[in-house]
Amino acid sequence: MKKRIERCLYWFKDGRENLNNLDDLYFGLSVLLTTLLNEKYDGVKIKFINIDLATEDTYRIVPALEKFKIFYQPGHLRYYGVLDIDSFLKMSGFERKKYLWDEAHNFLRKASKVIGNPQLGDACEYCYAKGISINLNTDYKVIETELNLYDKVVQATLLIQFDDAGMYSKLILRQGNSIFYEKTIDKARNGIEFFLEMYKSVESDGKSIVIKGAKDVDYLPLKIAIDKF
């Protein structure tokens, strides 16, 4: 899929402190937001969309920042929202994700009108509804393909999963609706964008799976023998 929106990220700040732990923790949600927007968006290319969520202390200490302000220049869109950090941290994990999803939706819907980009508004509504329909599942499918394995057609998926501890790449093999093989390939710290892009293909030689990717990843290409099933 050709990306018309290159990157959409959440950023958190409390006073003079950047809350990098929250930036990283919600990197998976940022990836989901970017992915779903790109499924629909067909307007002018946007390189960066940054959603800054800052506490009241931040705006008090840095009065030059304007609450609820939308900034735009070609290729760059930015928003400054307000975060009640104490209330946010008391929420459940899903409640936090839903809160952030709602914030992005409200901002993008407003921004599409402010900057005169109706395609962004359409993509925003599509993205919001689809995200809710999948319960804000952040699993990121890098590759989906059909392969021939032991003379049978199987579906191979290489995806990235996110949790509090980091990001994990996983290979899943299915025949029909049944999963018959799963393997975690690698892990990385949340926020490492290269991890989302380093896998290029999943192939089969009939008895094994071969994962290919960036030349500077020392274990690629990776050959995985699969028992006959």
Coordinates of all heavy atoms in Angstrom, one line a residue, residues 9-43:
L9 N 2.2 10.3 14.8 CA 2.7 9.9 16.2 C 2.0 10.7 17.3 O 1.7 11.9 17.2 CB 4.2 10.1 16.2 CG 5.1 9.2 15.4 CD1 6.5 9.6 15.5 CD2 4.9 7.7 15.8
Y10 N 1.9 10.0 18.4 CA 1.5 10.7 19.7 C 2.8 11.1 20.4 O 3.7 10.3 20.5 CB 0.7 9.7 20.6 CG -0.7 9.4 20.1 CD1 -0.9 8.2 19.4 CD2 -1.8 10.2 20.3 CE1 -2.2 7.8 18.9 CE2 -3.1 9.8 19.9 CZ -3.2 8.7 19.2 OH -4.5 8.3 18.8
W11 N 2.7 12.3 21.0 CA 3.8 12.7 21.9 C 3.2 13.2 23.2 O 2.2 13.9 23.2 CB 4.6 13.9 21.2 CG 5.2 13.5 19.9 CD1 4.7 13.8 18.7 CD2 6.4 12.8 19.6 NE1 5.5 13.4 17.7 CE2 6.5 12.7 18.2 CE3 7.4 12.3 20.5 CZ2 7.6 12.1 17.6 CZ3 8.4 11.6 19.9 CH2 8.6 11.6 18.5
F12 N 3.9 13.0 24.3 CA 3.4 13.3 25.6 C 4.5 14.2 26.3 O 5.7 14.0 26.2 CB 3.2 12.1 26.5 CG 2.2 11.1 25.8 CD1 2.5 10.2 24.9 CD2 0.8 11.2 26.2 CE1 1.6 9.3 24.3 CE2 -0.1 10.3 25.7 CZ 0.3 9.4 24.7
K13 N 3.9 15.2 27.1 CA 4.8 16.1 27.8 C 4.2 16.6 29.1 O 3.0 16.9 29.1 CB 5.2 17.3 26.9 CG 6.3 18.2 27.4 CD 6.7 19.2 26.4 CE 7.9 20.1 26.9 NZ 9.1 19.3 27.1
D14 N 5.0 16.6 30.1 CA 4.5 17.1 31.4 C 5.5 18.2 31.9 O 6.6 17.9 32.4 CB 4.4 16.0 32.4 CG 3.8 16.5 33.8 OD1 3.3 17.6 33.9 OD2 4.0 15.7 34.8
G15 N 5.1 19.4 31.9 CA 6.0 20.5 32.3 C 7.2 20.5 31.3 O 7.1 20.6 30.1
R16 N 8.4 20.4 31.9 CA 9.6 20.4 31.0 C 10.1 19.0 30.7 O 11.1 18.8 30.1 CB 10.8 21.2 31.7 CG 10.4 22.6 32.0 CD 11.7 23.4 32.5 NE 11.4 24.8 32.8 CZ 11.3 25.8 31.9 NH1 11.4 25.5 30.6 NH2 11.0 27.0 32.3
E17 N 9.3 18.0 31.1 CA 9.7 16.6 31.0 C 8.9 16.0 29.8 O 7.7 16.0 29.8 CB 9.3 15.9 32.3 CG 9.7 14.4 32.2 CD 9.3 13.6 33.4 OE1 8.8 14.2 34.3 OE2 9.6 12.4 33.5
N18 N 9.7 15.4 28.9 CA 9.1 14.6 27.8 C 8.8 13.2 28.4 O 9.7 12.6 29.0 CB 10.1 14.5 26.6 CG 10.3 15.8 25.9 OD1 9.3 16.6 25.7 ND2 11.5 16.1 25.6
L19 N 7.6 12.8 28.2 CA 7.2 11.5 28.8 C 7.5 10.4 27.7 O 6.6 9.8 27.1 CB 5.7 11.5 29.2 CG 5.3 12.6 30.2 CD1 3.8 12.5 30.5 CD2 6.1 12.4 31.5
N20 N 8.8 10.1 27.6 CA 9.2 9.2 26.5 C 8.6 7.8 26.7 O 8.4 7.0 25.8 CB 10.7 9.1 26.4 CG 11.3 10.4 26.0 OD1 10.8 11.2 25.2 ND2 12.5 10.8 26.6
N21 N 8.4 7.4 28.0 CA 7.8 6.1 28.3 C 6.4 6.0 27.7 O 6.0 4.9 27.1 CB 7.8 5.8 29.8 CG 6.9 6.8 30.5 OD1 7.0 8.0 30.2 ND2 6.2 6.4 31.5
L22 N 5.6 7.1 27.7 CA 4.3 7.0 27.1 C 4.4 7.1 25.5 O 3.6 6.5 24.8 CB 3.5 8.2 27.6 CG 3.1 8.1 29.1 CD1 2.2 9.3 29.5 CD2 2.3 6.8 29.4
D23 N 5.4 7.9 25.0 CA 5.6 8.0 23.6 C 5.8 6.5 23.1 O 5.2 6.1 22.1 CB 6.9 8.8 23.2 CG 6.8 10.2 23.6 OD1 5.6 10.7 23.9 OD2 7.8 10.9 23.6
D24 N 6.7 5.8 23.7 CA 7.0 4.4 23.3 C 5.8 3.5 23.5 O 5.5 2.6 22.7 CB 8.2 3.9 24.0 CG 9.5 4.6 23.6 OD1 9.5 5.3 22.6 OD2 10.5 4.6 24.3
L25 N 5.2 3.6 24.7 CA 4.1 2.7 25.0 C 3.0 2.7 24.0 O 2.3 1.7 23.7 CB 3.6 3.0 26.4 CG 2.5 2.1 27.0 CD1 3.0 0.7 27.1 CD2 2.0 2.6 28.3
Y26 N 2.7 3.9 23.4 CA 1.6 4.1 22.5 C 2.1 4.2 21.0 O 1.4 4.7 20.2 CB 0.7 5.2 22.9 CG 0.0 4.9 24.2 CD1 0.5 5.4 25.4 CD2 -1.0 4.0 24.2 CE1 -0.1 5.1 26.6 CE2 -1.6 3.6 25.4 CZ -1.1 4.1 26.6 OH -1.7 3.7 27.8
F27 N 3.3 3.7 20.8 CA 3.8 3.7 19.4 C 3.0 2.7 18.6 O 2.7 3.0 17.4 CB 5.3 3.2 19.4 CG 5.9 3.1 18.1 CD1 6.1 4.2 17.3 CD2 6.2 1.9 17.5 CE1 6.7 4.2 16.0 CE2 6.8 1.8 16.3 CZ 7.0 2.9 15.5
G28 N 2.5 1.6 19.1 CA 1.7 0.7 18.4 C 0.4 1.3 17.9 O -0.1 1.1 16.8
L29 N -0.2 2.2 18.8 CA -1.4 2.9 18.5 C -1.2 3.9 17.4 O -2.0 4.1 16.5 CB -2.0 3.5 19.7 CG -3.5 4.0 19.6 CD1 -4.4 2.8 19.5 CD2 -3.9 4.8 20.8
S30 N 0.0 4.5 17.4 CA 0.4 5.5 16.3 C 0.5 4.7 15.0 O 0.1 5.2 14.0 CB 1.8 6.1 16.7 OG 1.7 6.9 17.8
V31 N 1.1 3.5 15.0 CA 1.2 2.7 13.8 C -0.2 2.4 13.3 O -0.5 2.4 12.1 CB 2.0 1.5 14.1 CG1 2.0 0.5 12.9 CG2 3.5 1.9 14.4
L32 N -1.1 2.0 14.2 CA -2.5 1.6 13.7 C -3.1 2.9 13.1 O -3.8 2.8 12.1 CB -3.3 1.2 15.0 CG -4.8 0.8 14.7 CD1 -4.9 -0.3 13.7 CD2 -5.5 0.5 16.0
L33 N -3.0 4.0 13.7 CA -3.6 5.3 13.2 C -3.0 5.6 11.8 O -3.8 5.8 10.9 CB -3.3 6.4 14.2 CG -3.9 7.8 13.9 CD1 -5.4 7.7 13.9 CD2 -3.4 8.8 14.9
T34 N -1.7 5.5 11.7 CA -1.1 5.7 10.3 C -1.6 4.7 9.3 O -2.0 5.1 8.2 CB 0.4 5.6 10.4 OG1 0.9 6.5 11.5 CG2 1.1 6.0 9.1
T35 N -1.7 3.5 9.7 CA -2.1 2.4 8.7 C -3.5 2.6 8.3 O -3.8 2.5 7.1 CB -1.9 1.0 9.4 OG1 -0.5 0.8 9.8 CG2 -2.3 -0.1 8.4
L36 N -4.4 2.8 9.2 CA -5.8 2.9 8.8 C -6.1 4.2 8.1 O -6.9 4.2 7.1 CB -6.7 2.8 10.1 CG -6.7 1.5 10.8 CD1 -7.7 1.5 12.0 CD2 -6.9 0.3 9.9
L37 N -5.4 5.3 8.4 CA -5.6 6.5 7.6 C -5.2 6.3 6.2 O -5.9 6.7 5.2 CB -4.8 7.7 8.2 CG -5.3 8.3 9.5 CD1 -4.3 9.3 10.1 CD2 -6.6 9.1 9.3
N38 N -4.1 5.6 6.0 CA -3.6 5.4 4.6 C -4.5 4.4 3.8 O -4.4 4.4 2.6 CB -2.2 4.9 4.7 CG -1.1 6.0 4.8 OD1 -1.2 6.9 4.0 ND2 -0.3 5.9 5.8
E39 N -5.3 3.6 4.5 CA -6.2 2.7 3.8 C -7.2 3.5 3.0 O -7.8 3.1 2.0 CB -6.9 1.8 4.7 CG -6.0 0.7 5.2 CD -6.7 -0.4 6.1 OE1 -8.0 -0.2 6.2 OE2 -6.1 -1.3 6.6
K40 N -7.5 4.8 3.4 CA -8.6 5.6 2.8 C -8.0 6.9 2.2 O -8.5 7.3 1.2 CB -9.6 5.9 3.9 CG -10.7 6.8 3.5 CD -11.7 6.1 2.6 CE -12.9 6.9 2.2 NZ -13.8 6.2 1.3
Y41 N -7.0 7.5 2.8 CA -6.6 8.8 2.4 C -6.0 8.8 1.0 O -5.1 8.1 0.7 CB -5.5 9.3 3.4 CG -5.1 10.8 3.1 CD1 -6.0 11.8 3.3 CD2 -3.8 11.0 2.7 CE1 -5.6 13.1 3.0 CE2 -3.4 12.3 2.5 CZ -4.3 13.4 2.6 OH -3.9 14.7 2.4
D42 N -6.5 9.8 0.2 CA -6.0 9.9 -1.2 C -5.7 11.4 -1.5 O -5.8 11.8 -2.7 CB -6.9 9.3 -2.2 CG -8.3 9.9 -2.2 OD1 -8.5 10.8 -1.3 OD2 -9.1 9.5 -3.0
G43 N -5.5 12.2 -0.5 CA -5.2 13.6 -0.7 C -3.8 14.0 -0.9 O -2.9 13.1 -1.2

